[in-house]
């Protein structure tokens, strides 16, 4: 990480408000960004992903290098970046990253230009100028393959070339995320852009880790939706193991492309939604049943097997809750 230029420059500015005052132009970050390190996290967004986060940290503190997360859709690339923000927030990151901001930018919104003080200006150039003038900032761009030259109507826009000089000098640190397919199809063709990054391959979480992720994440759903999952730790573990078992790779609808942990988190949040729909203050077995029965991410024959197993595996819990397994 090259902080010498930042620390020695009189032009370094500490806050977004100072940037807007000095440059006399609107803040692109305010309009199109989200400061992940300012979020209040109910739970750790990246449970059981310490290895990947450590690789990301090591990359970011390597001089003149940025991190490129590459993996299939739905495996939690964005959650990893939020996990790093969570570490910074909770003082679990190395001292070299203390006080740093991670800013997530909605890249598609930066396509095109806007008028500032009567002059037509590239929105991305405005972003680069703004980031370049703020100390201790990491830019996070999902779908980073969109930076590579592409065609927008009749005008070619090469965002990558605009960023290269800043990435070269370490003036801007960046975390990019993209899928394996888009990395190979778009990013690899720009070798000069690739050299600015260290690629970090993100694999799908193991089934046992997904159970831990579900256990660590459900309190967030409770907080967001005001509904409780009133089961013991042992009961929750059994439910989550059932869910993970019946959402493994070859049971998923191929075109949907949901993977661990996203596919399981979606079904759990759906169970909370069914509880809300029924004005229930707690999530019951019936709600997990409905969430699985009505999901569109699992093949129908796999859902039938999951539901049959559900009725047998949780028979005692269903009886205790007054639910007739044969009627649901």
């Amino acid at each position: 990480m090259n902080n010498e230029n930042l620390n020695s420059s009189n032009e370094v500015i500490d806050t977004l408000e100072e940037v807007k005052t000095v440059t006399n132009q609107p803040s692109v970050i305010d309009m199109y960004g989200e400061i992940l390190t300012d979020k209040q996290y109910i739970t750790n967004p990246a449970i059981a992903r310490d290895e990947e986060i450590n690789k990301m940290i090591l990359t970011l503190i390597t001089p003149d290098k940025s991190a490129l997360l590459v993996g299939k859709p739905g495996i939690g690339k964005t959650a990893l970046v939020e996990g790093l923000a969570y570490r910074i927030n909770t003082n679990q990151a190395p001292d070299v990253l203390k006080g740093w901001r991670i800013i997530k930018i909605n890249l598609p919104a930066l396509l095109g230009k806007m008028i500032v003080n009567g002059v037509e200006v590239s929105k991305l150039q405005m972003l680069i100028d703004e980031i370049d003038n703020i100390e201790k900032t990491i830019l996070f761009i999902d779908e980073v393959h969109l930076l590579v030259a592409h065609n927008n109507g009749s005008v070619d826009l090469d965002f990558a070339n605009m960023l290269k000089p800043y990435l070269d000098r370490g003036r801007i640190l960046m975390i990019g995320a993209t899928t394996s397919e888009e990395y190979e199809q778009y990013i690899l063709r720009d070798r000069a852009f690739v050299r600015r990054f260290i690629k970090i391959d993100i694999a799908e979480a193991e089934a046992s880790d997904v159970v831990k992720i579900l256990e660590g994440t459900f309190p967030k759903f409770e907080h967001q939706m005001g509904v409780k999952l009133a089961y013991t730790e042992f009961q929750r573990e059994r439910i989550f193991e059932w869910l993970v078992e019946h959402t493994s790779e070859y049971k998923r609808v191929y075109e949907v492309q949901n993977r661990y942990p996203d596919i399981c988190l979606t079904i759990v949040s759906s169970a909370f939604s069914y509880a809300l729909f029924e004005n229930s203050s707690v999530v019951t077995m019936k709600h997990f049943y409905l969430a699985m029965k009505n999901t569109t991410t699992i093949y129908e024959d796999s859902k039938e097997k999951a539901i049959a197993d559900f009725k047998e595996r949780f028979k005692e819990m269903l009886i205790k809750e007054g639910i007739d397994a044969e009627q649901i």
Side-chain angles (χ1 to χ4, degrees), residues 127 194 220:
L127 170 67
V194 171
K220 181 178 74 172

Side-chain angles (χ1 to χ4, degrees), residues 50-214:
D50 289 344
E51 181 179 351
E52 293 91 339
I53 293 177
N54 288 341
K55 287 181 180 178
M56 189 162 41
I57 291 173
L58 287 167
T59 297
L60 292 172
I61 63 179
T62 300
D64 306 332
K65 290 293 183 182
S66 289
L68 183 58
L69 310 182
V70 179
K72 295 177 180 178
I75 60 174
K77 295 185 290 295
T78 298
L80 287 173
V81 183
E82 291 180 334
L84 175 57
Y86 174 83
R87 282 198 187 186
I88 293 172
N89 266 353
T90 54
N91 295 315
Q92 298 179 55
D95 290 347
V96 69
L97 288 181
K98 283 186 177 179
W100 280 71
R101 299 180 183 93
I102 300 178
I103 300 175
K104 180 181 179 181
I105 292 294
N106 177 13
L107 186 59
L110 293 181
L111 291 172
K113 300 182 179 182
M114 64 187 303
I115 304 298
V116 178
N117 300 324
V119 179
E120 190 177 59
V121 184
S122 161
K123 286 191 275 187
L124 187 75
Q125 187 61 58
M126 288 175 61
L127 170 67
I128 292 171
D129 293 342
E130 188 172 353
I131 294 290
D132 189 38
N133 281 300
I134 307 173
E135 192 176 26
K136 295 186 175 181
T137 298
I138 300 167
L139 185 65
F140 170 47
I141 297 182
D142 197 6
E143 299 185 282
V144 70
H145 59 277
L146 295 176
L147 283 173
V148 178
H150 62 287
N151 188 275
N152 181 27
S154 60
V155 182
D156 287 327
L157 301 173
D158 194 348
F159 291 168
N161 281 333
M162 297 170 68
L163 275 170
K164 285 173 188 175
Y166 298 89
L167 295 172
D168 272 347
R169 298 191 297 271
R171 293 290 298 273
I172 291 179
L173 285 179
M174 195 171 103
I175 301 171
T178 189
T179 66
S180 307
E181 181 180 348
E182 287 159 334
Y183 173 79
E184 294 175 3
Q185 184 174 354
Y186 299 107
I187 294 180
L188 276 181
R189 71 184 184 185
D190 190 336
R191 298 292 181 179
F193 186 64
V194 171
R195 285 197 298 272
R196 275 76 175 180
F197 293 87
I198 293 178
K199 180 189 176 192
I200 302 173
D201 290 308
I202 309 299
E204 184 173 4
E206 297 290 337
S208 58
D209 287 335
V210 179
V211 174
K212 295 176 186 176
I213 291 169
L214 296 177

Side-chain angles (χ1 to χ4, degrees), residues 289-303:
Y289 165 83
L290 290 172
M292 176 61 82
K293 178 184 177 183
N294 295 311
T295 182
T296 59
T297 59
I298 305 298
Y299 288 116
E300 288 301 319
D301 61 334
S302 296
K303 284 200 292 185

